[in-house]
Amino acid sequence: MDPKEIAGLVLFGTPLAPMDPKEIAGLVSVGILLMLVVVIIVLFTVFVKRKNKLLEAQAKAQETFERELAESQIEIREETLRNISWELHDNIGQLMTLAKIQVQTAAEQPENYEEASETIGTALNELRALSKLINPEATRKMSLKEAIETEITRFNRLNFINSSLAIEGTPERIDPKKEIILFRILQEFFSNTIKHSKASNLSVALHYDKKYLQILAKDDGVGFADESTSTGIGLRNMKNRAKLINAELQVFSEKGKGTSLHMEYYYE
């Protein structure tokens, strides 16, 4: 039928002839197909948006990680330089001053020559130990275990605090970037223990499991009752860094009973 005739029938109220079932089925199929196309387009658009958001979040997380890593490296370097400066001035400098006095008085007291020799020998040993900190390449190649051992040895050698390190399990090699952040968290705890806790003893334990590394550090200092009132403890910074590498960190303290750090890092 001509389209004009159909239009005329509609205008004058003449009912159209019923459609063929095949035509109806065709129209339904086309409608369903169009709906599927629309659904696919909507789902694809949502997927692309979510993917872009995920990529943006990953890029932001990586940027944050790299920034914290750089800051941790700078802080470790600054802490190392402070240690070197202190040891050169207050430790080795005093030893050499003592050796000079012993040599100057040796003309009247010959036994001072032997004492001066021993003092100079002690100073040389201190310089050898210090050279490990001065060499950045050696420090960079240290594992977490070796870096902690170096700190504990230094504390005991300089009589800062009576320190001990216990290791259980087989040490696992962790991503060096993650190790730097783990070490910086511990180094900050050590620094606060020595500067603020008035502790006599510091114990550190590393437990290597197949799935995770557990780190425990404890001092017997004055402790604190409330994190917000602790001086220079930097707990928020420590916790943020732990969260950045998916480590679980808890710090417990009680006034008069010391402070302890519990941290678990799960291998990836």
Side-chain angles (χ1 to χ4, degrees), residues 65 68-77 139-144 147 174-187 241 245:
F65 174 79
E68 287 293 337
L69 175 64
E71 288 180 3
S72 295
Q73 289 174 318
I74 292 170
E75 289 172 6
I76 290 172
R77 194 175 298 117
T139 305
R140 196 177 298 115
K141 291 181 178 178
M142 280 186 184
S143 66
L144 176 65
I174 303 170
D175 179 350
K177 292 182 178 180
K178 304 288 182 64
E179 284 190 325
I180 288 172
I181 293 178
L182 284 170
F183 177 64
R184 180 55 196 157
I185 292 171
L186 270 177
Q187 193 179 52
R241 285 178 171 165
I245 57 174

Side-chain angles (χ1 to χ4, degrees), residues 9 17 31 66 77 79 92 95 110 146 169-170 173 189 197 206 216 236 244:
L9 290 173
E66 294 295 337
R77 194 175 298 117
E79 185 77 15
I92 297 173
L95 287 171
E146 292 168 337
T170 303
R173 184 64 181 179
F189 181 84
S197 75
L206 304 180
L216 303 176
R236 182 180 299 176
L244 193 64

Side-chain angles (χ1 to χ4, degrees), residues 181-182 185 236-250 263-265:
I181 293 178
L182 284 170
I185 292 171
R236 182 180 299 176
N237 195 31
M238 293 164 67
K239 288 181 177 180
N240 287 340
R241 285 178 171 165
K243 186 178 180 180
L244 193 64
I245 57 174
N246 296 320
E248 296 178 4
L249 171 67
Q250 290 181 300
M263 183 160 54
E264 289 185 353
Y265 171 75

Side-chain angles (χ1 to χ4, degrees), residues 85-225:
S85 176
W86 184 90
E87 289 196 46
L88 285 173
H89 183 270
D90 292 358
N91 186 31
I92 297 173
Q94 288 182 0
L95 287 171
M96 297 309 295
T97 300
L98 176 60
K100 179 182 178 181
I101 294 172
Q102 289 170 334
V103 170
Q104 288 174 340
T105 60
E108 298 177 358
Q109 298 175 315
E111 65 275 9
N112 282 356
Y113 278 120
E114 185 175 348
E115 292 180 358
S117 177
E118 291 178 358
T119 302
I120 292 171
T122 300
L124 288 173
N125 290 333
E126 296 291 338
L127 278 173
R128 291 191 188 98
L130 192 60
S131 66
K132 294 180 180 179
L133 294 176
I134 296 173
N135 185 354
E137 190 63 29
T139 305
R140 196 177 298 115
K141 291 181 178 178
M142 280 186 184
S143 66
L144 176 65
K145 168 181 165 291
E146 292 168 337
I148 296 173
E149 285 176 337
T150 300
E151 287 287 90
I152 295 297
T153 300
R154 186 173 66 86
F155 294 157
N156 289 327
R157 190 180 79 251
L158 299 175
N159 295 318
F160 281 163
I161 190 171
N162 182 35
S163 309
S164 64
L165 173 63
I167 299 173
E168 297 180 2
T170 303
E172 299 282 346
R173 184 64 181 179
I174 303 170
D175 179 350
K177 292 182 178 180
K178 304 288 182 64
E179 284 190 325
I180 288 172
I181 293 178
L182 284 170
F183 177 64
R184 180 55 196 157
I185 292 171
L186 270 177
Q187 193 179 52
E188 194 161 356
F189 181 84
F190 295 158
S191 178
N192 283 293
T193 291
I194 291 172
K195 292 178 182 177
H196 305 294
S197 75
K198 301 179 182 179
S200 301
N201 299 285
L202 168 67
S203 63
V204 183
L206 304 180
H207 175 70
Y208 288 92
D209 190 78
K210 292 181 179 180
K211 295 183 179 180
Y212 64 89
L213 165 63
Q214 184 182 67
I215 302 174
L216 303 176
K218 180 176 175 58
D219 67 45
D220 59 355
V222 295
F224 54 88

